[in-house]
Amino acid sequence: MTIEAHGTVPVAMQPEEKHHHESYTALVWRRLKRSWTGLLGLILVSLLILMAIFADFLSPVDPKATGVAFAPPQAISFTDKDGNFVFSPRSYPVRETEELDPITFQPVIGPDYDNPQLLGFFVEGAPYRLFGLIPAERHLFGAVDGTPVHLLGTDKFGRDVLSRILYGSRISLIIALTVVSIVTVVGTTVGMVSGYFGGRFDAWVQRFVELVLAFPQLPLYLALSSLIPVTAPTNVFLAFVVIVMSALGWAQMSREVRGKTLALARIDYVRAAIAIGATDRRIIFQHIFPNVMSHVIVAVTLAIPQVVLLESFLGFLGFAVKPPLISWGLMLQDTANYSAIGSYPWILSPVAFVLVTVFAFNALGDGLRDAIDPY
């Protein structure tokens, strides 16, 4: 409180206005929230990652357990066999009847209304190890009595399609994230070093990058994958596929980062760092790298769905994941026969998850691109 010199009424000092300095991360988040597609992509990506992490808990059935081949999906019902409404959800298991199909002469498969399966949450089922360490038997949903429930039907060996999709998300996403991580590290490093030094070194590096980009990728994938013997361990085959995808994918990332580096290397603060004697390593990784990270983050979100699609395609052809591992591409091998698709359309369920994954990462990438660089 202060009093004026002539004895007037005290006047309270107005508090100084506080200026909140918004961080770059907060600014990006505020812009991302304005894009409903970007937020939807972020939510879907988060759900996909959680689905892959807790696949054991979410799967209602052991994915390796066999039963009735090509059993149709079991619907969740709130009515008994007489059509009366009941409060407890239930499903009717599919059984082979004594009737024969007049065309295929195979036993007709239909619901067993005399033995309903009561459904519930946090039920006991097939044992597993949560995070590979903690023994557990509880599943998010399933039959109360522990009998298998096939909400998306079964495949040609009678294995639950939904459980295999949940488990397959692990391999498909692990391959995508591993490949993109390697591509990002190699491509970003090569692009920054090449663009920063320039000159003859940059010319030779770019000729090599162009040579890698000139390779026809699909025939090369098939040729390199066929070099591995069929009897090779699954982990060796999977590692080889990751290496091949990474070796052919880093060049495009390198070319994009090089273009950004060429522009940043001529900015005043970089020239000032050179003038005061800063080392090349310090300039590249402390001055240039933070400024290309925005582009790299967007490129990563857009590259992951490309790898997921490539793995699904190669898995469909039999050149990616081998049993006993499970992936979406490997599951799609059952759809190679048009008659199987027409008779058992539920085996196309992995396609829906592939499409959702591609849409989720693309939507998130578009939202991040607008949020990071709105101009």
Side-chain angles (χ1 to χ4, degrees), residues 243-302:
I243 293 173
V244 171
M245 289 184 180
S246 303
L248 296 179
W250 65 269
Q252 184 61 37
M253 176 73 74
S254 171
R255 179 62 62 86
E256 295 174 2
V257 173
R258 171 185 174 268
K260 287 281 187 180
T261 306
L262 287 174
L264 293 171
R266 294 168 174 79
I267 293 181
D268 292 339
Y269 65 82
V270 175
R271 293 185 176 182
I274 296 174
I276 63 176
T279 62
D280 294 332
R281 180 178 179 180
R282 180 182 179 85
I283 294 173
I284 291 174
F285 290 101
Q286 293 194 16
H287 295 284
I288 296 179
F289 178 68
N291 290 279
V292 301
M293 272 302 296
S294 59
H295 176 81
V296 171
I297 292 174
V298 174
V300 165
T301 57
L302 296 178

Side-chain angles (χ1 to χ4, degrees), residues 55-66:
D56 308 288
F57 173 65
L58 297 175
S59 301
V61 183
D62 183 359
K64 298 179 182 179
T66 58

Side-chain angles (χ1 to χ4, degrees), residues 12 22 41 82 85 111 114 120 161 187-188 197 207 214 231 248 265 294-295 307 315 351 363 367:
E22 193 173 23
D82 297 326
F85 178 79
D114 295 327
V161 172
T188 303
F197 287 105
R207 299 298 79 76
T231 57
L248 296 179
S294 59
H295 176 81
V307 179
V351 176

Side-chain angles (χ1 to χ4, degrees), residues 25-26 56 73 354:
T25 304
D56 308 288
V354 173

Side-chain angles (χ1 to χ4, degrees), residues 103-171:
I103 299 177
T104 62
F105 295 100
Q106 297 293 326
V108 176
I109 299 176
D112 185 3
Y113 292 104
D114 295 327
N115 299 294
Q117 296 172 300
L118 298 180
L119 304 179
F121 291 98
F122 303 103
V123 298
E124 292 188 2
Y128 62 92
R129 287 187 175 271
L130 188 63
F131 306 119
L133 300 173
I134 306 173
E137 294 183 353
R138 292 286 175 179
H139 296 261
L140 178 62
F141 63 95
V144 176
D145 57 0
T147 56
V149 178
H150 307 296
L151 299 181
L152 290 181
T154 61
D155 61 6
K156 61 183 177 181
F157 295 112
R159 299 170 298 191
D160 184 60
V161 172
L162 176 59
S163 299
R164 290 179 62 80
I165 288 175
L166 295 175
Y167 273 84
S169 64
R170 287 181 171 178
I171 299 298

Side-chain angles (χ1 to χ4, degrees), residues 194 197-207:
S194 176
F197 287 105
R200 182 170 296 181
F201 175 78
D202 178 50
W204 281 104
V205 171
Q206 293 310 306
R207 299 298 79 76

